Amino acid sequence: MSLAVASACAAAAAPVYAQEAPVKAAEAQPEVQSVVVTGLRQSLISSMNLKRNSDGVVDGIVAEDIGKFPDTNLAESLQRISGVSIDRSIGEGSKITVRGVGPDFNLVLLNGRQMPTSNLGDLNGRAFDFANLASEAISQIQVYKTSRAENATGGIGATVNVMTAKPFDRPGLHASIGAKAVYDTSNDNLPADVQANRSLTPEVSGIYSNTFANNTFGVALTGSYQERNLGYNTAAVSNGWKGPYAGNAGPLTGVGNQVTNGPGATDLYSLPQNLNYNFNGVKRQRTNAQLTLQYKPVDSLVTTLDYTYSENKIQTKRNDISAWFNFGPSASSWTKGSPTSPLSWTEFVTGSDIAMGAADFATKTQNKSLGFNAVWKASPTLRFELDTHHSTAESGADSPFGSSNTLGTASFSRGTTTVDFSKDFPVLSIQGADFIKAGQQVTGSVFTNSYMKGEVDQTQVKGAWKVLEASELKFGASYSKVDNRSAFSNQQRDTWGGATSPADYPSSVWHQNSIGQYFDQISGSANPNLFNQFYTFNFAQVRQIAATASGLPALYLPKTTFDNDARTGEKSKAAYVQFNTDWDTALPIRTALGLRYEKTDVVSTALVPAATGISWVSQNEFPITFGAPTFTTLGGSYHNLLPSFDSDIELTPSQKVRFSAGETIGRPRYDQIQGGQTLNSLVRTDGGTGSQGNPALKPVKSKNLDLSYEWYYGQQNFFSIGYFKKNLENYAGQSQIDATPFNLHTPVGGALWNEAISAGKCLVSDTTCIRNYIFTNHPTAPGVTAPGVNGNVNGTIVGQPSDPIANFRITSFSNQKKASLSGVELNLQHMFGNSGFGVSTNYTYVHSGLRYDNNAVGEQFALVGLSNSSNVVGIYEDKKFTARVAYNWRGEFLSSTFDGSGPNPQYVEAYGQVDISLGYNYNDKLSFQLEGINVGNSIQRVHSRTQNQLESVTQAGPRYMIGARYKF
């Protein structure tokens, strides 16, 4: 069916039904309704009419039929719209970037209401995760790319309104059920210890909608349940790239280093901190349900009560192998130019660790929303609307092992280690490995318990008054209270040199495996020099052995209380007026002039632990000792007056020109405004890191300009070209400051450290040698606990008052950045007569002069998410068959200005994906579908300052679905 196309906010304007015939006409001509109103072609036509009939620049997607959206994932559907790009997580769309503006600055509404967000993997940003919502209950999505006074603020790139089916949208009985079998090939490409027991999983969904009592009462109920078992394998420099250093400085200049084609004196170079291969198995169960009740006691009053629920449960298992680099004696070869990168990097070591870790954790996210809406037509010229809702989003651990964890193991037999970065896949080579003489044993471990909850209480009152024959005054006010809580604790055992003994672990718990087979789609993975041996293990089994052998079982479980607890509250009041007019001129003109005022008060309270000391527990680990946590409270406020103007000129009945100008704001991320300072638990030889928020941050303000031309040259065809420009100010750029919180003393550079070096026994970079020297020559010195003393297996060296004070790089945020971006959007939709064939394609070009300078040192501000994108969708449809082939491409873009080592860029390389779908209508009620996602098995790769500076490369796999759907 074709569902309602809203001309503005859904209830504030009278709904317009795109191409939907009246009920009586449909009954008289059932064949016309079957051909014209339903199907993929009609979905495209309805989306075209949504664009054509709206004020400002609006795009959208309309469901093909009740309970049948074009894609099974809403973000995957949104990426078909010009200017919209998506971020993928576990192989499917998760968040959106619009016109180069990242996910945190795109506002997502559900039926015109602001939704809370909660995502344990996103540090509490404002980005909405579309993976939580199934598509079966969605009737249409509206993407507002230009501002208007009546719309809520928060969307600089776009405001996305997700609309669900309501019984009064289409009176009468409408119902369907559907079932699918999902086969995810990525689950087959995993080690057995992380692999799910089946790759074939079910999806079921159903929708029921009916009206009663002469269409004065309606009920709609939708529900869906989906399971998916998948996997992905990643090779990564997960701790980032150290540097950049000048060619005449840094570790490369050490005595005895063998350098081929090395950097010039003024060239910049960087070194990999580590290399990690990880293998991840994921199981997901997603449940969605919505109940909508509508009542119309009189023709002038429509009331709606709705409840929406979603639950997303994810279980993750991981095995990995990694090598850590200390920048001691080395051999290397380099690319030309600056910045330069190692084509190969070799470190000469003996007896170092071949680290092999595992994880087994689970999370659960629940979204709940209860809302009430009433629309009262007080007179033929006056209409009021009341809308209120209470919505929550809550995420937390769903496993006794916490929301995330790592159980480290190692064989201390790593000799000379090399990484070859010349291909897409980084090839790790290790000499001297001997898992017999140096048995595998548990080392350090981390168990994290995280919790996040967002709540929104919002009330909106709107009115529309038809003051003249061709004019309308819209007005309204709103109040919202948005609360966000982020809490976590870490149970960390920093015994990275060995927690117990290799003899505690039977050889049967280690399962030999190879590496290259899991990366067979990535160039370079077949290199014969690859160290192609590692051991996986069952996390729960080995965890239990370590807990028993150590006699410290509590340290191998997450804490039940939170050490860090940040709570942010925002109270916003808003009012607006908007005047719409149709001008009866030679060329018909429609204008909308509006003004919106908003005031927001922010209060942020945080519980953070106080640091008391630094201990040196193994070669590279200097964990912080924490004491009792304390609360801090900070606040801020801001207000904005936001004008908007939309106009369109009808050049001919089939051609339009649009012009829009306005101001919008995007609020800071929650983690940016959380109070309190948090220190990361591990310190290195060069210091530690931490973060703190700034509740006084102002929102980003954008001044927007849009100009577009649209040509609707047929009932099903159109062409459009649009130009947009955004000037942004008050951008909260990420910055780092050097600080000495709590005046913590570190052994690095202390008297015992310096003695080991000055005696000529150890190099500065050889931390193992320095530790051994101190334990041998000063076993009873203050702060020194030698190995084996007081149950301490590997020994500790605690910073003393005479030692240097550790320096920390504290990341914070400030309103000191400005940026501008501009772009062009091209759209073409063409149906080839009555042949059944059609094509829909678009291309978006986005540009900003503010780019990251790869040849500069230190932190930089640059726009993340800025990329060109395109889509090509070919379709065929007749009464029996439907076919669609969709290609989506997103150009390279900057995803972050920091990596695991500090201020370094991360560029996601250009990515293209092909999806297919086939449908067969057995009769008017029963249909079958076959779908393929990522059928070309595309890989995702991220690099830093050059393509050879790999950050990560990931291989997953295609996903196929076969299903049936029955309409009642």
Side-chain angles (χ1 to χ4, degrees), residues 298-368:
V298 294
D299 288 343
S300 60
L301 178 63
V302 176
T303 60
T304 304
L305 180 68
D306 57 79
Y307 178 75
T308 304
Y309 173 83
S310 71
E311 180 183 82
N312 200 15
K313 301 176 72 173
I314 298 176
Q315 302 88 42
T316 302
K317 292 184 178 182
R318 181 181 69 246
N319 278 129
D320 64 39
I321 176 173
S322 63
W324 185 273
F325 299 115
N326 293 306
F327 313 124
S330 66
S332 57
S333 63
W334 296 82
T335 61
K336 295 180 180 179
S338 180
T340 181
S341 303
L343 290 170
S344 68
W345 173 255
T346 298
E347 282 197 4
F348 303 107
V349 295
T350 58
S352 193
D353 61 323
I354 304 173
M356 288 163 284
D360 185 346
F361 56 89
T363 61
K364 178 172 69 175
T365 296
Q366 288 184 325
N367 294 270
K368 303 174 184 178

Side-chain angles (χ1 to χ4, degrees), residues 624 678-683 687-691 736 807-810:
I624 297 174
T678 302
L679 299 183
N680 296 325
S681 58
L682 276 182
V683 179
T689 57
S691 62
Q736 284 189 338
N807 184 70
F808 286 78
R809 298 180 299 278
I810 306 297

Side-chain angles (χ1 to χ4, degrees), residues 641-656:
L641 193 63
L642 305 171
S644 61
F645 176 75
D646 285 315
S647 66
D648 66 71
I649 304 174
E650 193 172 297
L651 302 177
T652 70
S654 62
Q655 299 181 77
K656 279 187 176 183

Side-chain angles (χ1 to χ4, degrees), residues 52 54-57 587-591 645-660 706-712 719-723:
R52 183 176 189 174
S54 296
D55 294 329
V57 180
L587 295 177
I589 302 174
R590 178 173 177 80
T591 60
F645 176 75
D646 285 315
S647 66
D648 66 71
I649 304 174
E650 193 172 297
L651 302 177
T652 70
S654 62
Q655 299 181 77
K656 279 187 176 183
V657 173
R658 298 185 190 270
F659 172 77
S660 298
D706 284 81
L707 181 64
S708 63
Y709 165 78
E710 300 166 7
W711 177 30
Y712 299 90
F719 166 79
S720 70
I721 181 171
Y723 169 82

Side-chain angles (χ1 to χ4, degrees), residues 239-400:
N239 286 84
W241 289 79
K242 298 296 288 185
Y245 306 98
N248 58 2
L252 206 59
T253 60
V255 176
N257 288 335
Q258 304 167 26
V259 182
T260 301
N261 192 36
T266 59
D267 292 342
L268 294 183
Y269 72 93
S270 300
L271 298 174
Q273 181 64 85
N274 72 321
L275 183 67
N276 176 281
Y277 300 134
N278 58 83
F279 313 89
N280 305 267
V282 181
K283 297 196 290 187
R284 187 196 70 183
Q285 305 84 44
R286 184 173 66 188
T287 304
N288 276 212
Q290 185 179 61
L291 174 65
T292 303
L293 303 175
Q294 288 191 290
Y295 179 54
K296 184 166 62 175
V298 294
D299 288 343
S300 60
L301 178 63
V302 176
T303 60
T304 304
L305 180 68
D306 57 79
Y307 178 75
T308 304
Y309 173 83
S310 71
E311 180 183 82
N312 200 15
K313 301 176 72 173
I314 298 176
Q315 302 88 42
T316 302
K317 292 184 178 182
R318 181 181 69 246
N319 278 129
D320 64 39
I321 176 173
S322 63
W324 185 273
F325 299 115
N326 293 306
F327 313 124
S330 66
S332 57
S333 63
W334 296 82
T335 61
K336 295 180 180 179
S338 180
T340 181
S341 303
L343 290 170
S344 68
W345 173 255
T346 298
E347 282 197 4
F348 303 107
V349 295
T350 58
S352 193
D353 61 323
I354 304 173
M356 288 163 284
D360 185 346
F361 56 89
T363 61
K364 178 172 69 175
T365 296
Q366 288 184 325
N367 294 270
K368 303 174 184 178
S369 179
L370 177 65
F372 174 78
N373 180 278
V375 178
W376 175 42
K377 192 174 182 180
S379 72
T381 60
L382 186 61
R383 184 176 67 254
F384 294 98
E385 178 188 0
L386 169 68
D387 190 276
T388 186
H389 75 104
H390 171 74
S391 302
T392 62
E394 188 173 19
S395 302
D398 196 35
S399 162

